[in-house]
Amino acid sequence: MTGATEETFQEDFEELYHEAPFGYLTTDVGGRILRINRTMLRWLGRSEHEVLGISFSGFLEAGSRLFFESRHAPELHLRGQVHEVLLTMRTVDGKRLPVLLNATLVHDADGRACGVRIAVLDASTRDEYERTLLAAQRAAELAAARVTVLQDASAAFGASGSEGDLADSLASIIEDALAATAVCVAMIDDEGDLTVIGGRNPIEGLYTRSDRRPGREVVMAERLITVTATGPLSTDFPAVATALERKRLDRVVVFPMTRSDIAVGVVAAFFERPREIDEAAADLVVSVAQQAAQALQRIRLADALAHLALHDQLTGLPNRTLLRENITRGIGISERTGAPLAVMFVDLDGFKPVNDRLGHNVGDLVLREVAKRIRGTVRETDTLGRYGGDEFVIICAETGAEQALAIADRLRAALRAPYDAAPGCELAASVGVALHEPDGARTITTDELLDIADGAMYRSKREGRDRTTVERC
Amino acid sequence: MAAATDAAADVLVRHNVVVRGTGRPIVFAHGFGCSQAMWRYVAPAFEADHQVVLFDYVGAGGSDSSAYRPGKYDSLEGYATDVLDIMAALDLRDAVFVGHSVSTMVGVLAANRDPSRFGQLVLVSPSPRYIDDGDYVGGFQQQDIDDLLDSLDANYVGWSETMAPVIMGNPDRPDLGLELTDSFCRYEPTIARQFARVTFLSDHRRDLDAVTVPTAVIQCVDDLIAPMPVGRFVHEHIAGSTFTVIAASGHVPNLSAPAEVTAAIKEALR
């Protein structure tokens, strides 16, 4: 049974080819068009003689052409085909023609590639939809990336125990987030200068005093500054531009680092090629830097607290707690190595009248001066601390009687000299030395050692002050 | 010493380095969008009298994508570092470096940094800058690169490693089928995105002037990505370079016209 319609609709293959509801063409292996159907020509708005011998990719929009030639041409040759490739073509009057493309490689009898068959489907109605999807996908990816960076940052900052560690983490996070060649972090120090505290700074002159400094300006203006090696953005900071050029860097972007809306430092990102930092990226860097600044303050506070707990506020010297820790450690080393350990107890003679006559403020000034003088007489390796009131302790590792006496003589001489803060007052010091010479049989405790030094000091007092007594133990 | 050997071994694994044959070393470097497979019809012709070295950039083919660092690879300098690492790992001297497309500039940067390893540069379809700039016609505008990135994202699925490639009948080349399962055209999409930016937004014109290694430029008659005037520009800016035009069209003559490319390289080495 043959239907009437089938009999009447009997088109030849040429018509089937030319009038197919899709574009169909063949090219040589290099992509030059050999045959093309009329549907494709109508879509392009071109006549056959205009396109034969011309590269197919020449009818693609430039971006699609780049992509097709660099990605799909190799794939086509290696896989033998490409499937459902979304590209944009250009019609003769410049209109966009979004298409879906399938292509297969054709081989000759010897198995050599001799041509390419390409089928082109009109995808214009999908175009808008695809673009919306793409935009949404990118927005989502961007947001997710941002969240990841912030999360990584907060985890890394929480785990950082020191200022340097934290600054290095910050630099590495920003480096990855911006795909920067190098990132360095600088903070304003006590003198108001920017000091690099972490990351890597590949150039000189970013923070030096000699020239106008971008770092300084960022702190003042609290907005980012870009300096390039060449071009208009190179003129404000010529020294930096020259340094960038020398290191083959294209630019540095310097971001402010703020805490509670006050600039406390900068983050500088270096790039090897022209890069524009959009607002979203800049916001991200500033947020992460802000997090870091807060974490830095936490670390600094913790460091300050730890320092406070172990140091005397008046003189800045180690306090009793830290002294005891050091003595314990010193005994351990001494008994392990057999080297003698001297612990010196220093008590001021004539200090009470200073306090009584001239008041505590002057007393404090004198104590500071005493601390300074003693520090000037002990050796680098000795530990000096304030034990309390007008008592000081010096721990001298690997020190025998002779050396201990020499130190004691030096410091007593230094303390006898007049004090500007307390005119007419005469001070001296009674010193007691506990000299621990380990014999391997007997061990000693921190308390015992301090008691012996204290006892020796009292003997010096009893025997007329301003002298040194050594007690071996 | 052992540590140095380990580091060298790491480099070879990271870049999926393949070495075949013995003789003067010849390194083939692939362009954006594919892998060392791009040289499969050219490289074998050199195995008889050369030590042929093939590799994948990080993110491509059989490389170790976990070694990717966005900061390192935000310019071709990072890729040049990898080329020098590979050459050091194999201790190559007097090597011929054959680069295709973006790899031509990677080769130029590497040779400028350490000419001692290079005996000759062969630049196939080179372009030092794709974006027009004043009198210089690279062929593209900034906007085109954004369109390229759109294309890349729109065709994202095609990049994915997990997409099983559809194998079409290719009875005369059964070896092709095997390689398909290796997904040689695999390229991490996020890496491809940055590589595309770095490739097509870079400007390496002034690096050409610094080249001291003998150089041969091979240009296709009809290349819409790196057109004739661009190839000529490269030739004119590399002192003493030779310029060969081959009767091939398109941007991947190493695949579409391997015989012509092979002949041109052999001619350049003579």
Side-chain angles (χ1 to χ4, degrees), chain A residues 28-32 53-59 61-75 77-81 83-88 90 104-105 107-113 130-131 134 137-138 141 172 175-176 178-181 230 245 248-249 271-275, chain B residues 32-34 37-38 40-41 69-72 74-75 77-78 109 130 139-140 144-156 158-159 165-170 172-173 176 180 183-187 193-194 197-198 200-202 206-207 221-222 224-225 247-252 255-256:
Chain A
D28 65 16
V29 283
R32 277 183 291 220
I54 305 291
S55 279
F56 165 73
S57 70
F59 297 100
E61 204 176 57
S64 286
R65 185 188 315 143
L66 272 177
F67 189 55
F68 185 76
E69 291 272 5
S70 55
R71 169 67 183 175
H72 290 114
E75 199 180 354
H77 281 281
L78 291 167
R79 271 195 182 145
Q81 65 166 3
H83 245 287
E84 288 184 58
V85 181
L86 263 173
L87 296 169
T88 307
R90 281 279 178 201
T104 56
L105 198 62
H107 296 92
D108 63 16
D110 299 327
R112 269 199 306 266
E130 297 280 351
R131 280 168 173 269
L134 195 58
Q137 184 196 330
R138 278 184 184 161
E141 274 175 18
S172 132
E175 199 175 293
D176 282 352
L178 295 180
T181 299
T230 55
E245 174 82 12
R248 299 300 313 267
L249 290 164
F271 300 97
E272 282 175 335
R273 65 184 178 93
R275 289 276 307 273
Chain B
F32 166 78
C34 200
M38 269 181 159
R40 65 189 341 263
Y41 304 132
R69 295 284 300 171
K72 173 178 178 184
D74 198 54
S75 83
E77 295 286 356
L109 294 176
Y130 293 89
F140 295 90
D144 299 335
I145 308 308
D146 295 338
D147 290 345
L148 160 71
L149 295 170
D150 282 353
S151 265
L152 201 153
D153 286 348
N155 291 289
Y156 184 92
W159 296 74
V166 186
I167 304 175
M168 278 279 289
N170 206 344
D172 304 304
R173 290 231 181 103
L176 265 183
L180 287 176
S183 52
F184 48 77
C185 283
R186 177 187 71 87
Y187 216 116
R193 222 180 272 169
Q194 196 187 359
R197 280 200 194 91
V198 169
F200 297 114
L201 294 175
S202 291
R206 58 183 185 159
D207 297 302
V221 278
D222 190 15
L224 294 180
I225 305 299
S249 65
H251 188 57
V252 282
L255 287 168
S256 68

Side-chain angles (χ1 to χ4, degrees), chain A residues 210-243:
Chain A
S210 55
D211 211 307
R212 278 185 67 207
R213 290 167 290 168
R216 190 93 206 111
E217 301 230 346
V218 168
V219 167
M220 306 300 274
E222 294 190 12
R223 58 174 180 80
L224 67 84
I225 285 180
T226 301
V227 185
T228 56
T230 55
L233 290 174
S234 66
T235 51
D236 280 354
F237 306 98
V240 175
T242 311

